[in-house]
């Protein structure tokens, strides 16, 4: 969210990537393998430098190679410098899986090597097909440069290496994918964005496999098709760390297997609460509690089911985290809003940024409490590192500090206290690349705060604190909200003035006992030079020095901003618009190595803080910056997009990347676009497309027109239509998300996952499968009312009419697709457990009966699943798991019904029925004839069932 108006307020450092002719690097002498030793599943060797390369620094003369067959489908290869300690991604951030030491002869992939010059290959054991081979490309290993390069088939089908807004299948001609987290306003195509997932899937008609490079340093990954060759090359160029690679065998027939194998490695996705699958509404620009309440009411009046209301940083006093502005968002009125939502079975989510306002003269502030524990990121000299974010001069939690997560949990427990604060149901974390507005070199953040007018001042007058909301009168406590400060809670306006506080109305400042002395904070208080800016006790300075002395990794003599090889960072030098690369953590690690981990570490701390608030209950945390494995804790939104048709289209590839490759299934884009002004047609189309993302949220910027779905008649109707379908499918989606948490099966996937031998599907990223059985083929051209899409050679059923559609492996064109509908098809061979209708809340939906839609494939068979639980508990004592199978005109429903669904199976609908049939229900051997109607044109049998959904049964058609 939010670079917004400040995006280009300061000088911008353009990308300055290093280019060198690949033939120069390929001419390097490389290494020889010596002292090769094998023992069971493990191989070790020394790699001895054959001669100097020196293109990007002096090569390390002797390396250590370790190869392990960790499972029958995974090989782990690691190359390190045995003479010095180099940075590796800590286990605390990315936990390595426990290997089972598979005998190599039992593995489905194998490691082979050539000793001189050393090269290695990963082969598919059954066919000896090369999956990854360094071949004639020597490994280069220097202090600030690593290079590994492989040859792939010509025009390779490579997916992943995100986060990005490029096509889902990556370009293979002169293409560079850069990994270095940045605040990527506008999520531009062809650049590094917020997150880093150095994993790719390589799909071929002979199978699908994966490669994961476990390294959090900045890197360029280059794909190219060298002139005159019949290959695609893939080359890693990394500015530090070690070579730590995992090779996943995948499968020769089922691409889902490689996703599951990556989930075994990176961590299976976290379960989410059932309510989180409803519609979410947010805006950066709700100016007061009145705006927030009005939006809730207006959704209800428009009969659009709003599940969760969100509030951006607007609620904060001077944009300071863990504060409320007492004039615009007084505690009593905010609590009234939350109480109203909860009384109506709705939820509330608020924004929390990592940057904490630097307030050295305030005794009662997040800064003071964090400083007491010394939890902030530091300069190399031990003082607190300072940057510039929305509240002005800021510090950042150091997530490697063992006191940082308890501090964060305590702030959440206080500010979001259900009894005295704001009782949120989920958390939204942003700006955690970490983003800084300070223009490099950031030597005087206080002066830059003045120049950039940070924090920005409000441009509207505060509402009357007694303003009635929800059609009622002000609460008993609201009339005194200007004087109320929740003295026992941190859920009040902060009690000091920030950099530009002289222009803040006096009534915005807390009148608590601490404010009289604290309110003297001023520009001068935060304008000291960089080296001595932070007020730190002698004890803290001593601790900082001790940690530096214990630092295990030396970067002496290395350039941390412009290393010999400079990656294609769109922000410029590595420290631009973020924490400096020499910023130092509690354990001695520096941002140069750990930068890409910051968002995921904040995610882990925030999830723990939320779970501590409500022990035993699932939570929803949505983050912007991610690293490999983030989905095991949080969900993700796709960042600050624009209200353009291009971004609408790009959101599909972004969804596929997160759900299919990176194992972050709880994902979605800002529907209708974040920045710039949407249009009625675009917002209507996006409302429908967004309904088929696991995470569905309408969100936009304060500089854009309002775009809540009820603003336009067409959009409102499109939203109602799409949400009705989504809510009917919600248990189907919930089942898919549960399956992902069990084994990593993707919640949404490209067509080639279902049709891996159909080369026509390999490049499609404007259609996708939502769950295993629903094909989404949205209109994607600007303002169009027709769409051409691909239907594989298979049977499908139109979701709206339920009529059969025979795919022939060709494009199909639909005309007259109005702006309140979206083309959907059910894949033949599926049984869908649907609610018979949507509802205004997910709680009401769970009290709605089911219908089972049987969509037989060409072989007359169909299968499906349903998983159900209470929707909120971390540990489920009772669950229901049902398998559906249809064959020979018999539908069998079998399962374990531990969790009572409390509803009926109202009907069964069998598709593709060419003639009327009778139906007999059988439960525990007892038969009963059922009422059946036949719709001739769509060829649908409607079977009235009307039994409690809590037992095995069969329906036989005859």
């Amino acid at each position: 969210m939010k670079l917004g108006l400040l995006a280009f307020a300061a000088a911008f450092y353009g990308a300055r990537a290093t280019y060198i002719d690949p033939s120069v690097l390929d001419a390097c002498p490389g290494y020889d393998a010596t002292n090769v030793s094998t023992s069971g599943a493990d191989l070790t060797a020394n790699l001895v430098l054959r001669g100097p390369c020196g293109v990007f620094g002096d090569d390390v003369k002797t390396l250590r190679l370790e190869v392990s067959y960790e499972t029958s489908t995974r090989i782990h290869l690691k190359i390190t410098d045995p003479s010095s300690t180099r940075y590796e991604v800590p286990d605390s951030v990315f936990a390595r899986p426990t290997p089972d030491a598979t005998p190599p002869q039992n593995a489905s992939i194998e490691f082979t090597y050539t000793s001189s010059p050393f090269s290695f290959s990963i082969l598919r054991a059954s066919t000896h097909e090369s999956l990854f081979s360094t071949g004639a490309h020597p490994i280069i290993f220097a202090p600030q440069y690593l290079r590994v390069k492989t040859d792939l088939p010509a025009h390779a089908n490579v997916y992943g290496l995100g986060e990005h807004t490029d096509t889902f299948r990556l370009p293979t001609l002169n293409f560079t994918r850069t990994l270095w987290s940045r605040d990527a306003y506008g999520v531009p195509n062809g650049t590094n964005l917020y997150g880093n997932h150095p994993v790719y899937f390589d799909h071929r008609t002979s199978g699908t496999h994966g490669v994961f490079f476990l390294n959090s340093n900045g890197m360029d990954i280059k794909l190219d098709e060298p002139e005159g060759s019949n290959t695609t090359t893939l080359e890693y160029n990394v500015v530090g760390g070690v070579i730590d690679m995992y090779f996943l065998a995948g499968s020769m027939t089922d691409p889902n297997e490689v996703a599951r194998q990556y989930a075994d490695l990176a961590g299976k996705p976290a379960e989410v609460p059932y309510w989180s699958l409803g519609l979410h509404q947010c805006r950066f620009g709700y100016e007061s509690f009145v705006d927030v309440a009005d939006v809730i009411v207006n959704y209800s009046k428009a009969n659009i089911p709003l599940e969760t209301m969100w509030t951006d940083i607007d609620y904060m006093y001077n944009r300071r985290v863990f504060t409320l502005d007492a004039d615009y968002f007084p505690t009593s009125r905010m609590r009234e809003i939350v109480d109203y939502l909860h009384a109506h079975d709705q939820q509330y989510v608020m924004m929390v940024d990592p940057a904490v306002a630097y307030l050295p003269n305030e005794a009662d502030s997040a800064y003071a409490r964090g400083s007491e524990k010394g939890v902030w990121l530091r300069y190399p000299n031990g003082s607190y590192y300072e940057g510039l974010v929305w509240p002005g001069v800021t510090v950042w939690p150091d997530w490697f500090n063992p006191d940082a997560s308890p501090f964060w949990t305590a702030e959440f427990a206080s500010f979001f206290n259900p009894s005295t604060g704001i009782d949120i149901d989920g958390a939204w974390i942003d700006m955690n690349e970490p983003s800084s507005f300070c223009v490099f070199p950031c030597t005087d953040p206080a002066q830059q705060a003045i120049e950039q007018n940070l924090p920005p001042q409000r441009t509207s007058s505060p509402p009357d604190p007694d303003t009635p909301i929800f059609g009622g009168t002000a609460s008993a406590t609201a009339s005194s909200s200007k004087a109320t400060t929740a003295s026992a809670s941190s859920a009040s306006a902060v009690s000091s003035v920030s950099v530009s506080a002289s222009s803040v109305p006096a009534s915005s400042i807390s009148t608590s006992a601490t404010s009289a002395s604290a309110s003297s904070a001023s520009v001068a208080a935060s304008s000291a030079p960089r080296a001595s800016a932070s007020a730190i006790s002698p004890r803290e300075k001593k601790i900082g020095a001790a940690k530096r002395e214990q630092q295990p990794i030396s970067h002496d003599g290395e350039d941390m901003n412009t290393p010999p090889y400079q990656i294609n960072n769109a922000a410029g030098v590595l420290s631009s618009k973020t924490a400096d690369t020499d910023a130092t953590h509690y354990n001695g690690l520096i941002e140069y190595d750990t930068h890409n981990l910051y968002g995921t570490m904040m995610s882990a701390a925030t999830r723990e803080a939320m779970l501590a608030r409500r022990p035993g209950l699932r939570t929803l945390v949505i983050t912007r910056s991610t690293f490999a494995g983030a989905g095991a804790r949080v969900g993700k939104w796709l960042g600050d997009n624009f209200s353009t048709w291009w971004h609408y289209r790009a959101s599909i590839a972004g969804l596929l990347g997160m759900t299919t490759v990176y194992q972050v299934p709880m994902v979605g884009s800002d529907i209708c676009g974040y920045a710039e002004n949407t249009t009625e047609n675009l917002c209507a189309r996006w409302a429908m497309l967004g309904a088929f993302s696991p995470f569905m949220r309408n969100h936009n910027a304060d500089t854009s027109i309002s775009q809540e779905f009820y603003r336009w008649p067409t959009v409102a109707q499109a939203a109602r239509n799409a949400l009705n379908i989504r809510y009917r499918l919600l248990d189907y989606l919930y089942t898919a998300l549960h399956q992902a948490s069990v084994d990593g099966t993707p919640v949404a996937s490209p067509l080639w996952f279902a049709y891996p031998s159909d080369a026509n599907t390999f490049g499609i990223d404007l259609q996708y499968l939502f769950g295993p059985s629903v094909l989404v083929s949205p209109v994607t051209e600007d303002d169009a009312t027709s769409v051409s899409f691909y239907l594989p050679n298979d049977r499908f059923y139109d979701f709206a009419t339920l009529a059969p559609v025979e795919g022939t492996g060709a494009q199909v064109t639909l005309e007259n697709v109005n702006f309140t509908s979206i083309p959907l098809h059910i894949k033949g061979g599926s049984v869908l457990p649907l609610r018979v209708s949507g509802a205004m809340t997910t709680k009401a939906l769970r009290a709605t009966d089911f219908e089972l839609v049987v969509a037989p494939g060409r072989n007359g068979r169909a299968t499906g699943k349903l998983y159900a639980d209470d929707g909120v508990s971390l540990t489920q004592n009772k669950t229901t798991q049902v398998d559906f199978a249809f064959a020979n005109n018999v539908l069998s429903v079998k399962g374990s019904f531990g969790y009572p669904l409390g509803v009926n199976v109202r009907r069964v609908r069998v598709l593709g029925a060419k003639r009327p049939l009778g139906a007999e229900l059988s439960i525990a051997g007892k038969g009963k004839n059922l009422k059946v109607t036949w719709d001739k044109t769509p060829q649908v049998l409607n079977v009235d069932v009307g039994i409690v959904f809590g037992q095995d049964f069969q329906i036989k058609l005859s």
Side-chain angles (χ1 to χ4, degrees):
M1 193 226 57
K2 14 212 165 355
L3 208 45
L5 291 176
L6 298 177
F8 308 108
F12 182 79
Y13 282 75
R16 296 175 291 181
T18 299
Y19 172 77
I20 190 167
D21 190 320
S23 64
V24 173
L25 299 177
D26 281 344
C28 288
Y31 291 82
D32 283 338
T34 64
N35 299 324
V36 178
S37 175
T38 59
S39 177
D42 302 319
L43 177 148
T44 60
N46 294 330
L47 302 181
V48 180
L49 189 67
R50 292 163 52 85
C53 176
V55 176
F56 296 116
D58 294 337
D59 303 88
V60 176
K61 292 182 172 55
T62 302
L63 302 173
R64 183 67 172 170
L65 169 69
E66 300 174 352
V67 179
S68 176
Y69 286 76
E70 290 195 341
T71 72
S72 61
T73 59
R74 185 174 73 232
I75 290 176
H76 184 195
L77 178 146
K78 192 172 181 181
I79 300 176
T80 58
D81 178 359
S83 66
S84 66
T85 303
R86 290 175 66 105
Y87 168 75
E88 300 181 30
V89 175
D91 282 346
S92 61
V93 182
F94 189 95
R96 276 60 163 184
T98 301
D100 64 13
T102 295
Q105 61 270 23
N106 295 341
S108 53
I109 51 174
E110 62 180 284
F111 168 84
T112 65
Y113 70 95
T114 300
S115 295
S116 182
F118 172 73
S119 66
F120 73 88
S121 297
I122 303 295
L123 309 178
R124 192 173 295 285
S126 60
T127 63
H128 288 277
E129 178 184 15
S130 175
L131 306 182
F132 190 100
S133 178
T134 59
H137 312 297
I139 288 171
I140 302 175
F141 200 112
Q144 287 186 275
Y145 180 71
L146 307 175
R147 189 243 201 179
V148 179
K149 185 174 183 179
T150 183
D151 290 325
L152 304 176
H155 316 303
N157 301 301
V158 177
Y159 310 83
L161 303 177
E163 178 183 5
H164 60 76
T165 51
D166 300 303
T167 52
F168 182 52
R169 181 175 63 178
L170 295 174
T172 55
L173 183 62
N174 193 28
F175 176 76
T176 298
R177 167 59 35 241
T178 300
L179 302 187
W180 184 256
S181 295
R182 73 179 185 99
D183 186 338
Y185 180 70
V187 288
N189 172 261
T191 73
N192 51 311
L193 303 182
Y194 312 103
N196 303 276
H197 297 267
V199 56
Y200 73 83
F201 293 171
D202 180 346
H203 177 64
R204 310 171 187 181
T205 54
S206 58
T208 314
H209 68 276
V211 178
F212 174 52
F213 197 130
L214 179 51
N215 185 300
S216 65
N217 287 86
M219 67 177 75
D220 284 339
I221 306 169
K222 299 182 178 182
L223 285 162
D224 203 5
E225 297 174 1
E227 187 175 353
S229 73
N230 193 33
T231 62
T232 298
T233 60
L234 186 149
E235 177 185 32
Y236 298 92
N237 298 267
V238 192
V239 299
V242 301
I243 297 171
D244 194 353
M245 304 184 74
Y246 292 86
F247 300 93
L248 308 174
S251 167
M252 296 177 68
T253 57
D254 183 6
N256 286 283
E257 276 301 310
V258 73
R260 296 176 187 126
Q261 290 163 19
Y262 182 62
D264 286 339
L265 175 60
K268 298 179 181 67
E271 299 257 29
V272 296
Y274 189 93
W275 61 259
S276 70
L277 304 183
L279 171 65
H280 303 259
Q281 175 62 49
C282 186
R283 189 183 184 195
F284 179 29
Y286 291 139
E287 295 183 351
S288 72
F289 72 93
V290 179
D291 285 354
V292 175
D294 284 349
V295 170
I296 297 168
V297 170
N298 288 335
Y299 264 98
S300 179
K301 287 181 178 179
N303 200 34
I304 301 172
L306 174 65
E307 181 74 16
T308 306
M309 189 66 197
W310 293 45
T311 308
D312 211 309
I313 61 173
D314 306 281
Y315 75 85
M316 300 176 186
Y317 171 71
N318 271 351
R319 305 291 172 87
R320 300 175 188 171
V321 70
F322 303 122
T323 69
L324 283 174
D325 189 304
D327 280 349
Y328 293 82
F329 294 86
T331 302
S332 59
R333 305 314 303 273
M334 293 303 292
R335 287 178 55 78
E336 189 179 345
I337 287 172
V338 176
D339 288 345
Y340 178 91
L341 288 167
H342 289 170
H344 290 78
D345 302 321
Q346 295 167 290
Q347 328 299 325
Y348 189 49
V349 170
M350 295 177 84
M351 164 75 74
V352 181
D353 285 345
V356 174
Y358 170 65
L359 301 169
N361 295 328
E362 282 210 20
D364 183 17
S365 66
Y367 174 79
R369 292 184 290 272
S371 297
E372 176 67 23
K373 296 183 177 295
V375 301
W376 312 124
L377 193 63
R378 299 173 185 267
Y379 289 113
N381 69 2
S383 62
Y384 295 150
Y385 177 81
E386 294 172 11
L388 194 64
V389 194
W390 288 105
V393 180
T394 60
V395 292
W396 283 278
D398 169 11
W399 304 114
F400 284 107
N401 188 316
D403 290 328
S405 188
F407 155 76
W408 201 245
T409 295
E411 293 298 306
F412 268 71
S414 177
F415 185 70
F416 298 118
N417 187 293
S419 300
T420 58
I422 311 301
D423 187 15
I424 58 174
D425 300 281
W428 177 22
I429 54 178
D430 186 22
M431 309 293 285
N432 53 353
E433 289 70 38
S435 174
S436 176
F437 301 149
C438 205
V439 179
F440 181 83
C442 186
T443 56
D444 192 349
Q447 179 58 37
Q448 288 202 34
I450 296 171
E451 295 167 357
Q452 296 188 35
N453 190 33
L454 291 172
Q457 299 307 299
R458 296 187 184 272
T459 58
S460 63
S461 299
D464 185 325
D466 297 328
T467 302
I469 56 177
F470 304 125
T473 60
S475 66
T477 58
S479 60
S480 59
S481 63
K482 283 193 177 183
T484 300
T485 60
S487 58
S489 167
S490 63
S492 64
V494 289
S495 53
S496 67
V497 187
S498 71
V499 172
S500 44
S502 60
S503 60
V504 181
S507 61
S508 293
I509 304 173
S510 167
T511 56
S512 66
T514 61
S515 66
S517 60
S519 63
S520 60
S522 65
V523 172
S526 58
S527 59
R530 163 181 165 144
S532 59
S534 301
I536 306 177
S537 68
R539 175 180 176 273
E540 288 301 325
K541 289 182 178 179
K542 183 176 181 180
I543 290 174
K547 289 300 171 188
R548 288 193 305 280
E549 290 170 1
Q550 297 167 13
Q551 184 169 339
I553 299 163
S554 173
H555 287 285
D556 291 347
E558 296 180 2
D559 188 333
M560 297 292 101
N561 267 318
T562 55
Y565 178 91
Q566 295 183 51
I567 63 173
N568 193 34
N569 178 24
V573 299
L574 296 181
S575 296
S576 182
K577 296 295 185 179
T578 188
D580 282 0
T581 51
D582 64 353
T584 306
H585 293 277
Y586 176 90
N587 56 3
L589 297 177
I590 63 173
E591 278 291 288
Y592 180 82
D593 295 316
T594 67
H595 168 82
N596 286 343
L597 304 178
Y598 194 90
T600 285
M601 296 189 74
M602 182 190 181
S603 296
T606 303
R607 175 177 170 82
E608 291 306 311
M610 287 296 294
L611 294 178
R613 289 183 62 253
R614 294 177 177 176
L617 297 183
R618 296 176 192 164
T619 189
L620 174 72
V621 178
I622 297 294
T623 184
R624 188 167 77 177
S625 182
T626 55
F627 184 72
R633 299 178 179 88
V634 296
K636 148 88 180 161
W637 99 100
L638 294 175
D640 297 346
N641 59 4
F642 285 178
S643 295
T644 68
W645 289 95
W646 183 88
H647 281 90
Y648 164 87
R649 290 186 287 270
S651 72
I652 302 174
L655 166 74
L656 291 175
M658 289 292 164
T659 58
T660 304
V661 184
Y662 312 136
Q663 288 293 324
V664 186
M666 192 58 178
V667 63
S669 66
D670 278 351
I671 294 172
C672 301
Y674 171 72
E676 302 182 341
N677 293 331
T678 193
T679 65
E680 184 172 3
N681 286 349
L682 174 60
C683 199
R685 287 282 185 231
W686 216 328
M688 292 181 289
L689 176 62
F692 300 96
S693 295
F695 174 56
M696 182 184 185
R697 185 184 67 168
N698 182 334
H699 173 55
N700 73 320
D702 59 343
T703 54
S704 307
I705 62 173
S706 297
Q707 64 183 36
E708 292 84 5
F709 290 151
Y710 53 75
R711 297 283 176 180
W712 302 271
T714 304
V715 178
Q717 190 58 51
R720 284 189 287 265
N721 292 350
L723 283 162
N724 183 64
I725 298 171
R726 175 185 177 87
Y727 278 36
R728 290 181 63 212
L729 283 164
L730 217 58
D731 297 272
Y732 163 83
L733 172 58
Y734 191 70
T735 299
L737 283 162
H738 172 72
Q739 191 64 43
S741 75
V742 171
D743 66 4
T745 300
V747 172
S749 57
L751 266 67
W752 60 264
F753 258 53
Y755 303 95
S757 61
D758 184 350
N760 293 323
T761 66
F762 298 170
I764 293 176
D765 61 5
L766 295 179
Q767 296 172 258
Y768 60 99
L769 288 165
F770 183 64
S773 305
V774 177
L775 176 61
V776 183
S777 306
V779 176
T780 55
E781 293 302 315
D782 302 15
D783 294 317
T785 56
S786 66
V787 60
S788 294
F789 56 89
Y790 184 76
L791 275 186
N793 186 15
D794 200 354
R795 177 170 296 167
F796 296 86
Y797 299 85
D798 184 286
F799 191 93
T801 67
L802 302 182
V805 179
E806 292 296 331
T808 60
Q811 294 291 120
V812 174
T813 299
L814 291 182
E815 304 286 354
N816 301 316
V817 183
N818 63 40
F819 285 94
T820 62
S821 61
I822 181 171
L824 302 172
H825 290 85
I826 303 170
K827 185 178 180 295
S830 307
V831 178
L832 299 184
L834 305 182
R835 301 286 179 166
V836 295
S837 66
M840 288 299 288
T841 65
T842 60
K843 183 175 181 179
L845 183 71
R846 288 169 69 90
T848 303
D849 285 347
F850 278 92
E851 68 176 16
L852 306 180
V853 176
V854 180
R858 288 173 173 168
N859 61 1
R861 297 175 177 271
T863 60
K865 293 179 178 294
L866 173 68
Y867 170 82
D869 57 26
D870 69 15
V872 293
S873 299
L874 275 175
T875 301
Q876 294 289 339
N877 295 321
K878 297 179 179 179
T879 65
T880 284
Q881 300 188 60
V882 187
D883 290 315
F884 309 105
F886 182 80
N888 300 317
N889 276 347
V890 176
L891 173 65
S892 296
V893 178
K894 296 182 179 180
S896 58
F897 296 88
Y899 177 77
L901 297 171
V903 297
N904 291 345
V905 177
R906 186 178 300 181
R907 65 187 176 191
V908 170
R909 311 186 81 181
V910 181
L911 312 188
K914 295 182 179 181
R915 59 186 177 87
L917 296 171
E920 181 184 45
L921 171 68
S922 176
I923 302 176
K926 295 182 179 180
K928 174 185 176 182
N929 290 328
L930 300 174
K931 179 181 177 182
V932 181
T933 58
W934 178 55
D935 291 341
K936 180 179 180 180
T937 300
Q939 300 180 8
V940 177
L941 280 176
N942 297 292
V943 182
D944 291 344
V945 180
I947 62 170
V948 173
F949 199 176
Q951 59 206 321
D952 294 351
F953 65 90
Q954 278 191 349
I955 293 177
K956 183 177 180 180
L957 304 177
S958 60

